[in-house]
Amino acid sequence: MGRDHRRRGNPGIDAGRSAFRQDVVAGLSLPQKTLPPKYFYDRAGSELFGRICRLREYYLTRAELALTRTHMAAIARFAGRGGVLLEYGSGESLKTRLLLRAMRPAVYMPVDISAEILTRAAGRLAREFPWLRIAPVAGDFSRPLELPELRGRDRRVVYFPGSTIGNLSPGEAQAFLRMTRGQVGPSGAMLVGVDLKKDANVLHAAYNDSRGVTAAFNLNLLERINRELRGDFDLRRFAHYAFYNPALGRIEMHLVSLVPQTVNVGDHRFTFDRGETIHTENSYKYSIEEFHAIAAESDFRGAKVWTDRKGLFALHGLIAD
Ligand code: SAH
Ligand code: AVI
């Protein structure tokens, strides 16, 4: 077994907290108050996301798992055996297990902003796959990341499942793909999970679940600000609000202020009108053609695409163009 324990990725807790403070203050100072969705994933947020994945209404995880199982042999042929598998936003590395078994990469490099979940997942994988070298990187993929040396001659494959790419704007998604295109080089490949466009009612239910888990996930961001940045958000005065914006092809998640109010975050003070919102997340949905166009802008060619039987979700196999 080869576990790599050196600390890598972005700077430590204090630098992380100061970036969090800066982003929160900047976002709440905008005319449309906004918070970056990457801050959802503290310990409580990651656990809530795990519960979302098991909800009846949240079809994304089940659809992607089903299509991966069904097409595993073809996906593994596309990815190739051995080499380096680099995964962004790996979380629990749930779907990755299927890929690891079929691909048997020499090195698996999971990258996630949530260091705790990453370490726990890497520990489990090390027990389950004793032959695998695991090199976890705790870091933010929206900033330049210090990655461990990628072994020169090995083929590199980047895996980005879960439709996490949908949480980036189309421009950010292109920039992200351009970065990974540089990482995989001319002979590498990328596997990207993308949620497909579909009936708005199905989308609406997935982001407004009957048990209120998505609402708790959204509101946890305010709780995190209270905990880590000396905030005084009263969670009873904000409500989860998610809807599909068909013109932009995205689910938007907001937190609506239920009353006129003033909120403090450390030494900063923010006022809210009744009905004013904080925009917390976008989740873009792309048709196969739309996603191919984004990939092409980043010098990737859509070589393969696998979907589930219901046509809910797509896994794209991209190669360097
Ligand atoms: N890949 C898993 C988890 C998806 S949830 C799945 O398909 O189920 C999104 C994951 O991306 C979370 O684990 C979160 O911590 C991570 N994440 C979100 N924004 C990130 C960022 N900017 N940098 C690194 N990881 C990020
Ligand atoms: C991680 N990401 C792809 C999820 C999504 O569906 O956009 C995050 C999420 N937000 C609300 N529910 C789940």
Side-chain angles (χ1 to χ4, degrees):
M1 175 184 90
R3 278 286 304 284
D4 203 322
H5 290 286
R6 271 188 294 161
R7 272 193 81 80
R8 289 212 180 75
N10 302 126
I13 281 193
D14 290 342
R17 190 155 294 183
S18 124
F20 182 31
R21 180 177 298 105
Q22 263 178 29
D23 288 346
V24 166
V25 170
L28 294 182
S29 306
L30 293 170
Q32 166 62 71
K33 293 181 172 64
T34 305
L35 291 170
K38 66 185 178 191
Y39 294 116
F40 280 136
Y41 301 94
D42 64 348
R43 183 207 281 214
S46 298
E47 274 164 16
L48 285 164
F49 180 72
R51 283 179 60 196
I52 288 176
C53 291
R54 294 191 290 278
L55 289 169
R56 184 178 51 78
E57 295 104 324
Y58 195 75
Y59 59 85
L60 288 84
T61 312
R62 267 189 310 280
E64 191 176 24
L65 261 174
L67 78 86
T68 307
R69 284 205 181 95
T70 304
H71 302 290
M72 196 63 254
I75 295 166
R77 263 198 309 280
F78 171 82
R81 272 177 85 89
V84 178
L85 182 67
L86 178 58
E87 177 173 358
Y88 284 106
S90 48
E92 309 266 5
S93 296
L94 207 72
K95 296 151 203 158
T96 324
R97 287 175 159 72
L98 300 171
L99 211 56
L100 291 174
R101 259 179 230 121
M103 249 183 98
R104 288 191 74 95
V107 181
Y108 172 54
M109 201 181 287
V111 179
D112 205 286
I113 200 165
S114 174
E116 219 174 307
I117 295 283
L118 181 77
T119 310
R120 206 167 66 194
R124 279 205 202 114
L125 288 172
R127 286 191 290 280
E128 226 176 293
F129 299 92
W131 46 266
L132 181 64
R133 183 173 155 224
I134 305 171
V137 178
D140 177 350
F141 59 62
S142 64
R143 295 164 191 254
L145 258 178
E146 189 210 329
L147 290 178
E149 282 291 297
L150 293 167
R151 299 199 319 197
R153 282 179 310 145
D154 281 344
R155 178 175 153 86
R156 295 164 194 171
V157 177
V158 169
Y159 184 40
F160 196 30
S163 205
T164 303
I165 199 159
N167 298 134
L168 308 179
S169 71
E172 288 166 345
Q174 267 169 24
F176 178 82
L177 291 178
R178 262 195 297 280
M179 173 191 79
T180 58
R181 168 67 184 75
Q183 283 167 344
V184 301
S187 60
M190 185 157 183
L191 287 165
V192 195
V194 178
D195 196 17
L196 288 162
K197 284 208 159 71
K198 59 185 58 67
D199 182 345
N201 294 305
V202 175
L203 290 169
H204 187 269
Y207 292 85
N208 291 280
D209 67 274
S210 47
R211 298 187 171 191
V213 185
T214 312
F217 175 71
N218 200 4
L219 283 159
N220 176 59
L221 192 47
L222 302 185
E223 236 171 284
R224 182 176 184 185
I225 294 173
N226 286 351
R227 265 195 310 269
E228 295 186 19
L229 304 180
R230 287 190 298 116
D232 63 0
F233 279 101
D234 180 346
L235 270 61
R236 292 164 305 184
R237 295 175 153 211
F238 286 88
H240 166 72
Y241 178 48
F243 61 91
Y244 184 61
N245 179 333
L248 295 174
R250 69 190 194 193
I251 286 281
E252 291 187 21
M253 283 212 318
H254 294 252
L255 289 162
V256 188
S257 175
L258 298 175
V259 290
Q261 57 182 317
T262 301
V263 175
N264 297 291
V265 177
D267 300 331
H268 301 267
R269 173 169 282 238
F270 302 98
T271 56
F272 290 83
D273 292 332
R274 182 162 155 257
E276 189 178 349
T277 74
I278 310 174
H279 188 175
T280 51
E281 187 184 62
N282 290 316
S283 194
Y284 282 85
K285 313 299 169 187
Y286 295 113
S287 69
I288 289 171
E289 299 70 31
E290 283 168 339
F291 190 70
H292 278 171
I294 289 186
E297 289 291 325
S298 314
D299 296 333
F300 269 122
R301 183 162 60 80
K304 296 274 181 202
V305 59
W306 298 276
T307 60
D308 59 295
R309 274 195 314 131
K310 295 182 186 158
L312 296 170
F313 201 94
L315 182 70
H316 287 267
L318 308 179
I319 54 173
D321 205 10

